[in-house]
Amino acid sequence: MFNSIKLRIVVWFLVVFSIFFAGIELFLYYKLGEVTIHLADEHLQSEVDTLANLMAIEEAQGQLESELQELAAAVTGVYSEKLSGHYYQLVSEDGNILVRSPSLALAGETLPVHMGSEEGEFRTIIGPGNEHMRLISRSFRFSVGRLTFQAADSLEDTQELLSSFRNVVLAIFPVVFVICGIGVFLMTGWALKPIRAFTRKIGQITEKNLAERVEERGVAIELKPLASSFNTMLGRLEESFSRQKQFLSDASHELRTPTSIIKSFC
């Protein structure tokens, strides 16, 4: 089965193509995941910075307590909806939760308390409703002490995007695989066509037309050494046949005289 050059080329191409395509798909899949996570992190960083700036402004005006109450009573937006997938909470230096967004408070849920650094630390967690979430914890210094702001967003949209990408790739791969397989099969047949013509020409040469030669002009570069070798071989065969004919002719001539003498004697 695998004695066919065409079949070997097709099989090897499809194997290499499958490995390459799978590698590209995995690379793009993980890169897409990294990009979406990075965008989620940037959004969370912006939310925490906004909350911290509001707190700093209110603290400068001596209204820190009222700001904390306002943060706990948001009435509009995604943070006011129960288990909306968007949450924030404020944690004191001793680990107590001072403020929760209504999206957490209405469901009686909290985010995992983690005292982050001043640069901010990101984590992927299982949040309320067993959702995969991206969480940021970042600490700021205020007059009341070190406060940690935490914000979390659901990764459901990210997972749906990755799932859609994976499904599209899985749907496209068989189609591309079949098209490439047929294309390579046809191209291989076309590429091997000169060899078939070459073989047919060689098959037409017998002892009756040893003077014919394989045309080297116009032959594919890969076949030129083979054509030259065949022509050299045909030349030697022609010379051998010529010598054989000469030998038979000479032998016939040499045998003719003794045969005539024998005939006369008889």
Side-chain angles (χ1 to χ4, degrees):
M1 179 179 178
F2 281 93
N3 288 333
S4 169
I5 294 177
K6 180 189 291 188
L7 183 59
R8 288 180 182 178
I9 293 175
V10 172
V11 170
W12 276 110
F13 173 83
L14 293 179
V15 169
V16 173
F17 169 80
S18 300
I19 295 173
F20 178 78
F21 192 90
I24 291 294
E25 189 272 335
L26 288 175
F27 174 78
L28 293 177
Y29 181 83
Y30 285 110
K31 275 296 179 184
L32 181 62
E34 288 180 0
V35 170
T36 52
I37 290 295
H38 178 70
L39 292 175
D41 289 348
E42 285 187 342
H43 178 260
L44 291 173
Q45 183 74 55
S46 175
E47 291 294 328
V48 166
D49 288 343
T50 300
L51 292 175
N53 289 334
L54 288 174
M55 291 282 292
I57 293 172
E58 295 300 327
E59 181 185 41
Q61 297 176 357
Q63 300 178 353
L64 186 60
E65 294 295 331
S66 61
E67 179 61 23
L68 290 175
Q69 294 176 0
E70 291 180 6
L71 288 177
V75 293
T76 59
V78 293
Y79 294 106
S80 64
E81 301 173 9
K82 180 180 178 181
L83 297 180
S84 63
H86 301 275
Y87 313 109
Y88 62 77
Q89 68 184 24
L90 184 58
V91 183
S92 65
E93 193 167 6
D94 56 4
N96 293 323
I97 299 175
L98 302 177
V99 172
R100 288 183 294 172
S101 62
S103 53
L104 286 172
L106 292 174
E109 297 280 357
T110 61
L111 297 174
V113 175
H114 176 67
M115 309 304 290
S117 64
E118 293 185 0
E119 291 77 21
E121 297 179 10
F122 294 95
R123 288 182 170 187
T124 299
I125 63 169
I126 302 297
N130 292 323
E131 281 188 296
H132 284 85
M133 312 200 72
R134 194 66 173 168
L135 171 72
I136 181 177
S137 301
R138 186 177 180 186
S139 297
F140 294 88
R141 293 286 179 180
F142 290 93
S143 59
V144 295
R146 181 168 172 252
L147 300 180
T148 298
F149 290 80
Q150 292 185 288
D153 281 343
S154 172
L155 292 177
E156 181 180 358
D157 292 340
T158 298
Q159 291 175 336
E160 288 181 358
L161 176 63
L162 294 176
S163 178
S164 298
F165 175 80
R166 183 175 59 252
N167 292 336
V168 168
V169 170
L170 291 177
I172 290 176
F173 178 76
V175 177
V176 176
F177 184 86
V178 172
I179 292 175
C180 288
I182 295 174
V184 172
F185 185 83
L186 295 176
M187 289 180 63
T188 304
W190 175 78
L192 295 177
K193 187 177 180 181
I195 296 180
R196 291 194 294 270
F198 184 84
T199 304
R200 193 162 50 247
K201 177 64 176 177
I202 294 297
Q204 293 172 352
I205 298 176
T206 64
E207 71 278 2
K208 296 180 180 180
N209 57 348
L210 282 174
E212 292 189 18
R213 296 290 182 269
V214 178
E215 182 62 49
E216 296 184 29
R217 289 183 300 177
V219 176
I221 296 177
E222 293 80 4
L223 294 179
K224 281 186 176 181
L226 185 60
S228 178
S229 298
F230 266 104
N231 286 337
T232 301
M233 182 185 67
L234 290 173
R236 292 174 180 173
L237 287 174
E238 184 181 12
E239 184 179 356
S240 297
F241 269 88
S242 178
R243 289 178 180 177
Q244 184 181 21
K245 287 180 180 180
Q246 185 64 41
F247 171 77
L248 292 176
S249 176
D250 293 343
S252 175
H253 176 73
E254 293 296 331
L255 289 173
R256 192 173 299 149
T257 299
T259 302
S260 298
I261 295 172
I262 293 171
K263 282 183 178 181
S264 298
F265 180 77
C266 290

